[in-house]
Amino acid sequence: MRLHRLGITAFGPFGATEEIDFDALSAAGIFLLHGPTGAGKTSVLDAVCYGLYGAVPGARQSPGTSLRSDHAPADLLTEIRLELTVGGRRLEITRSPAQTRPKKKGDGYTTEKAQSRLREYVPDEGWRALSRSNQEIGEEITQLIGMSRDQFCQVVLLPQGDFARFLRADAEARGRLLGRLFDTRRFAAVEEHLAELRRAAGTQVRAGDERILAVAQRIAQAAGPAASERPLPGIQPGEPGLVDAVLEWAATARSSARERLDIAASVLTAAESRQRAARLALDAERELAGLQQRYEETRRRATEVEAGRAEHDQAQEQLKRARKADLVAPALELREEAEWAHRRAGAARDRSRAGLPGDLAGAGADQLTALERRLREELGGLDAARRAERRGAEIDSERTVLERQARADDELIRDAESWLAGWEATRNALHTRIEAAQEAATRAELLAGRLDPARRRLDAARRRDSLADQVSDAEERLGTARERALATGEAWLGLRERRLRDIAAELARELADGEACAVCGSPDHPRPARAGDGHVDQATEDAAEAAHRRAEQARTEAEHALAAVRERHAAARAEAAENGNGQDPAGGRDRAAEPTAAALAGLVDTLTREHAEAYRTATGTHAAREALAAAEREQEQRAGDRQRAERRAAARTSRREGLDAEQAALEEVLAQARGGSGSVTEHAALLQHRVVLLVEAAATLREEESAAARLKEADDRLADAAFRAGFDTPQDAAGTMLPDSRQRELQHRIDTWQAEAAAVADRLAETDARAAAGRPPAAPDAAQPVSDTAERLLRDAAGAHAAARERCTELGRLSRRAADEVRGLGPVREEYERIARLAGLTAGTSADNERKMRLESYVLAARLEQVAAAATARLRRMSSGRYTLVHSDARTGGRRAGLGLHVIDAWTGRERDTATLSGGETFFASLALALGLADVVTDEAGGVRLDTLFIDEGFGSLDDQTLDEVLDVLDSLRERDRSVGIVSHVADLRRRIPAQLEVVKERHGSAVRHRAADGVSG
């Protein structure tokens, strides 16, 4: 990978656009990146990392930190453009973080999303766009470089301070760094997976043993008394011999249960025989007692039947006479109906005669009918007169209607003339109303344009005030999270230090007699170390470390939350400070000058009220136009109504004259037809009333004569019916009659007595009951206890037999289940033993693992050995052949085995720990280690060539001779066509390295200046 050009715009301390030509700087092989402290030397490396991975190095990617320069103008967007060659392809990556920018239309600000663009240079075609997706570009670059962001920052940006700490760190710290660089998580995952498999398999084995013991416990419960003769052995899950002991014990329990079943069957057979004999004796006594009781009851009922015989005969005679009287009942009812009809007809006759004149009181039916016929003829002659009278009434009604129409037309004419007199004033007022509504519509539109921005500002002000409280809460939570992270970190380090002090006791717990000690190799352990008071084990330390990690995670989340709420609060402040045109009226003033929510609410209320008033007025435009149109229509209608009313008045005058002439002719005819009545209708009504009286009187007279004839005929029939039924008079028959309910009651009493007499006769004829009465009294009460005892003994014997049979069945089922569990557990136990051996080997706890080295440590040790060999080639040159880095597999001080790093001093011939190197020696040793690590990680990443490296600080600790040797080693990298950028503010390097990139710190933001090997360029 080779860098060509880097464009930095509004990034970090750079307020404008800065271009860096790495091709020109790399021509000399080594170039210097220098500048005063805080100028932005590290920001150049951050820009390279951000261009490749869309993020700066992890140590500087803190929440709440913005990548945008505070010196940049508002309309200049932050952007990184990086041109490089990787994998034989020339690419250009352009990235912009999320940021706010001025609106393109109007005033105010809007949020610009993070953007990325990737282009590739194709010969003969030029630049060709590949992608605009952040995810796709990230995956493409990571695949081409072959390294993650952390690996790139460690290998290409070479932070010397990290490698100095690496030289002095213990095995655990080295393991964490190497694991992150070489991504050995898969090996740790293999260890954890095998450990998880071992735990799962062990759980299955223990669960199988527990199931077998549970089945054995159920066998003991099912065996009952048999289990007390030979109790279940006290074996725990996982102990040897458990399977054989359980199966042997279950077989013994089954044999004992079968013996008890045979005994219970014999007892049950004897109990059944005794119960049958006792039941037969009890049934015989109960049957004899029943026959004796039946005979006594029959004799009692026979006495009662004989006592009721006289009453039975009397009831039979009474019922017989009542049924004979029923034969006379129809004639009697007919006579009563005829008598009632005769009385009713007589009363009607008297009422109808009361309405006739005195001269007709004694008239017969024929005379009344003849008079009625004459009156009807007179009524027929009044039809013409009635028609003339109705026409006269119609003429009066027509006159009334004409008068009413005349009054209505006169009122209509007066109303029309009055309304038409004010027409011009009404039309002018409606035109004025339309013009006012149109002006209000224009004013409402202007107010609406001011109201929406005011409402947005009010909402923003309310969000601003709410978010201000959230910012305070988030800051408080962040402070709490930081204190929690610091406290948990201190607690974890304290526990770790205490555990390291007592690590010998922890190792002693793993010792076993006859097995070699992992530290000294001796099979004898005369005085193993003991844990002191307050000993900390691995689980406690891991729990403390996990708590610290959770606290760190909570701190990170709190920082992210604070940054997010601050960003929303700033956006709300900016939006609330805008004036009606989208400008910030406060300008650069402090927050005290910002508009309050109350002030904005008052402005919104005022605008809302004015807009509502104008809108209400404007909405009357259509109504005003409609009112004008309606008024014009009404004017036309009223003028037409007045004209039509005048024409109708002339027509009514002619109509009145015709009605007067017709009325005079009708009066002559009506005067003759009225007679002595007030009108023809009254005279006709009088005649009609007389006709009705005559018709009614004649009809009632004829009905009374017919009723008298029917009454005489009914008397004759009643006398004849009573004689045929055997009664002297009809009155005797009527006195003998009984109602139906009484007859049914007598019949029921007769039937009941006869049924009882027949039943008693049948039971007196029974021979078995008579014979039983001659025997001694039965004694069922004496036989009942004997039967109850036999029944109870039978139930006990049956229960015991069923329990024994069920016990045998249950023991057989549980024994088969135990055998199935044993067969199923065999493969599981074999699998557990195989996995346990493999997991112990990878975890370093197995006796087969001679160095007690974990799988991940083994892999990391191999990588560290490669790194030490690659670093030694450069370290010898830097130290004039004095120092050599070597890798050690030994476990020292209880630390992780396989990650030791020593240095061999050729002057003394002794090997010592890298932590004993001096400051200058540590620098060039760490530099050699960094370069060696870069080679190994590059090969691990697939052999991607790294043509551009950066070394950050540390040269100030070297003397002149050592500095020359280090620079010679770095200069030798050009042999592999590499370029090295040294980041340092050491003044002596400016004389030694002609190609320079200077970062200048200025008031309005930093800038860069190039110095080539032959001169200076800005």
Side-chain angles (χ1 to χ4, degrees), residues 395 399 653 655-665:
I395 291 173
R399 283 200 183 106
T653 301
R655 179 60 178 164
R656 285 195 190 96
E657 294 175 355
L659 292 176
D660 291 343
E662 185 179 2
Q663 184 68 38

Short mmCIF file of all heavy atoms in Angstrom, two decimals, residues 395 399 653 655-665:
data_model
loop_
_atom_site.label_atom_id
_atom_site.label_comp_id
_atom_site.label_asym_id
_atom_site.label_seq_id
_atom_site.Cartn_x
_atom_site.Cartn_y
_atom_site.Cartn_z
N ILE A 395 -120.33 28.88 -2.57
CA ILE A 395 -120.17 30.27 -3.00
C ILE A 395 -119.64 31.12 -1.86
O ILE A 395 -118.77 31.98 -2.03
CB ILE A 395 -121.52 30.80 -3.54
CG1 ILE A 395 -121.87 30.11 -4.86
CG2 ILE A 395 -121.48 32.32 -3.73
CD1 ILE A 395 -123.25 30.43 -5.38
N ARG A 399 -116.13 33.24 -1.85
CA ARG A 399 -116.02 34.65 -1.49
C ARG A 399 -114.95 34.85 -0.41
O ARG A 399 -114.14 35.80 -0.47
CB ARG A 399 -117.37 35.17 -0.97
CG ARG A 399 -118.39 35.46 -2.08
CD ARG A 399 -119.44 36.40 -1.52
NE ARG A 399 -120.46 36.65 -2.49
CZ ARG A 399 -121.70 36.15 -2.45
NH1 ARG A 399 -122.03 35.33 -1.45
NH2 ARG A 399 -122.59 36.44 -3.39
N THR A 653 -112.30 40.92 -9.19
CA THR A 653 -113.49 41.79 -9.25
C THR A 653 -114.56 41.17 -10.14
O THR A 653 -115.76 41.12 -9.79
CB THR A 653 -113.08 43.16 -9.79
OG1 THR A 653 -112.09 43.73 -8.93
CG2 THR A 653 -114.28 44.10 -9.85
N ARG A 655 -114.90 37.98 -10.83
CA ARG A 655 -115.37 36.74 -10.20
C ARG A 655 -116.41 37.02 -9.13
O ARG A 655 -117.41 36.30 -9.00
CB ARG A 655 -114.18 35.99 -9.60
CG ARG A 655 -114.54 34.70 -8.92
CD ARG A 655 -115.19 33.74 -9.88
NE ARG A 655 -115.51 32.47 -9.24
CZ ARG A 655 -116.35 31.58 -9.76
NH1 ARG A 655 -116.96 31.82 -10.94
NH2 ARG A 655 -116.58 30.44 -9.13
N ARG A 656 -116.28 38.10 -8.36
CA ARG A 656 -117.24 38.44 -7.30
C ARG A 656 -118.62 38.74 -7.91
O ARG A 656 -119.66 38.35 -7.38
CB ARG A 656 -116.74 39.65 -6.51
CG ARG A 656 -115.61 39.36 -5.55
CD ARG A 656 -115.45 40.52 -4.57
NE ARG A 656 -114.24 40.40 -3.78
CZ ARG A 656 -113.10 40.99 -4.07
NH1 ARG A 656 -113.02 41.77 -5.15
NH2 ARG A 656 -112.06 40.82 -3.30
N GLU A 657 -118.70 39.43 -9.03
CA GLU A 657 -119.97 39.78 -9.66
C GLU A 657 -120.73 38.53 -10.09
O GLU A 657 -121.94 38.40 -9.90
CB GLU A 657 -119.72 40.70 -10.86
CG GLU A 657 -119.17 42.06 -10.46
CD GLU A 657 -118.81 42.91 -11.67
OE1 GLU A 657 -118.91 42.37 -12.80
OE2 GLU A 657 -118.41 44.08 -11.49
N GLY A 658 -120.06 37.50 -10.66
CA GLY A 658 -120.70 36.25 -11.08
C GLY A 658 -121.26 35.48 -9.91
O GLY A 658 -122.35 34.90 -9.97
N LEU A 659 -120.52 35.43 -8.78
CA LEU A 659 -120.98 34.70 -7.59
C LEU A 659 -122.21 35.35 -6.98
O LEU A 659 -123.12 34.66 -6.48
CB LEU A 659 -119.83 34.63 -6.56
CG LEU A 659 -118.62 33.77 -6.93
CD1 LEU A 659 -117.55 33.90 -5.86
CD2 LEU A 659 -119.02 32.32 -7.12
N ASP A 660 -122.33 36.68 -7.02
CA ASP A 660 -123.50 37.36 -6.45
C ASP A 660 -124.77 36.99 -7.22
O ASP A 660 -125.83 36.72 -6.64
CB ASP A 660 -123.28 38.87 -6.50
CG ASP A 660 -122.19 39.31 -5.52
OD1 ASP A 660 -121.86 38.50 -4.59
OD2 ASP A 660 -121.64 40.41 -5.68
N ALA A 661 -124.73 36.90 -8.55
CA ALA A 661 -125.90 36.56 -9.36
C ALA A 661 -126.35 35.13 -9.11
O ALA A 661 -127.54 34.82 -8.98
CB ALA A 661 -125.57 36.76 -10.85
N GLU A 662 -125.37 34.19 -9.01
CA GLU A 662 -125.71 32.78 -8.77
C GLU A 662 -126.33 32.60 -7.38
O GLU A 662 -127.29 31.83 -7.21
CB GLU A 662 -124.45 31.93 -8.91
CG GLU A 662 -124.74 30.44 -8.81
CD GLU A 662 -123.48 29.61 -8.98
OE1 GLU A 662 -122.36 30.19 -9.15
OE2 GLU A 662 -123.57 28.37 -8.94
N GLN A 663 -125.91 33.34 -6.37
CA GLN A 663 -126.43 33.22 -5.02
C GLN A 663 -127.89 33.67 -4.94
O GLN A 663 -128.72 33.07 -4.24
CB GLN A 663 -125.57 34.06 -4.06
CG GLN A 663 -125.96 33.94 -2.60
CD GLN A 663 -125.65 32.56 -2.04
OE1 GLN A 663 -124.64 31.98 -2.39
NE2 GLN A 663 -126.54 32.04 -1.22
N ALA A 664 -128.30 34.66 -5.69
CA ALA A 664 -129.68 35.17 -5.66
C ALA A 664 -130.65 34.14 -6.23
O ALA A 664 -131.76 33.92 -5.69
CB ALA A 664 -129.75 36.47 -6.46
N ALA A 665 -130.23 33.39 -7.29
CA ALA A 665 -131.11 32.37 -7.87
C ALA A 665 -131.29 31.19 -6.93
O ALA A 665 -132.38 30.61 -6.84
CB ALA A 665 -130.51 31.91 -9.21
#
